Amino acid sequence: MDIHFKMKKETIAVEFKKIQEEICSSISNLDGKSTFESYKWERKEGGGGDTRVLQNGNIFDKAGVNFSEVFGPITDKMKTAFAFEAESFYATGVSIVMHPTNPFMPIIHMNIRYFELPGKTWWFGGGIDLTPIYVDENEAQFFHQELKKTCDRYDASYYPKFKDWADDYF
């Protein structure tokens, strides 16, 4: 899909903060025992974030839902590794890692992100995966069916393409 619009990065960061808040609220309500503690941090080169952690819950032993918005100069190492011509960058995102108390429930990781270089270079990205301690084939199939349904709402080619990328990655 070719996107012919560009949102302001500040708008994206506000929306990502809302997503973090919605996820934390939903997980706290679901867990019923623990709530998230917030740890705000700053990056000396520019930006910062809000790391939220829930511990010792009914469902989750530990869960983290993190928001970050960082910016600043691109280092020489970044320029070489990514062939950037720009002098600065902007990035924002939400990252989630949840470790359930039940060893039969998989650990989940998910993230969404936005990255921008000055000018016309920008992109959205993200991913999701489950790491089971004990594999349950029915649960794995259900997980992939739900991901496929979500992708199909936008474009039927997304799920097979993204699944191939993930399979190659792992």
Side-chain angles (χ1 to χ4, degrees), residues 1-30:
M1 171 172 35
D2 186 18
I3 299 175
H4 296 286
F5 70 95
K6 184 169 185 286
M7 295 175 67
K8 289 183 177 181
K9 59 188 173 193
E10 297 82 9
T11 302
I12 295 165
V14 167
E15 292 302 315
F16 280 5
K17 286 179 188 177
K18 287 180 189 175
I19 290 169
Q20 179 195 36
E21 187 60 44
E22 289 171 10
I23 291 168
C24 289
S25 177
S26 295
I27 295 301
S28 291
N29 289 337
L30 176 69

Side-chain angles (χ1 to χ4, degrees), residues 62-155:
K62 192 168 188 178
V65 181
N66 306 312
F67 166 81
S68 63
E69 180 182 29
V70 296
F71 50 87
I74 293 178
T75 65
D76 289 338
K77 187 174 182 178
M78 289 170 70
K79 286 180 186 180
T80 302
F82 300 110
F84 289 151
E85 296 297 324
E87 296 299 317
S88 63
F89 76 98
Y90 172 88
T92 186
V94 176
S95 178
I96 302 166
V97 177
M98 291 190 239
H99 293 262
T101 57
N102 181 338
F104 292 99
M105 290 177 62
I107 296 163
I108 187 167
H109 168 257
M110 190 228 40
N111 68 68
I112 54 175
R113 57 190 172 270
Y114 172 79
F115 186 85
E116 180 179 306
L117 296 173
K120 296 183 180 184
T121 304
W122 58 274
W123 65 89
F124 285 96
I128 186 170
D129 61 79
L130 296 177
T131 307
I133 295 171
Y134 300 103
V135 177
D136 180 325
E137 290 297 326
N138 291 329
E139 290 294 322
Q141 288 176 357
F142 173 77
F143 176 74
H144 280 274
Q145 286 170 352
E146 293 302 306
L147 287 177
K148 183 176 183 324
K149 277 194 243 177
T150 300
C151 289
D152 286 352
R153 281 188 242 151
Y154 300 94
D155 187 321

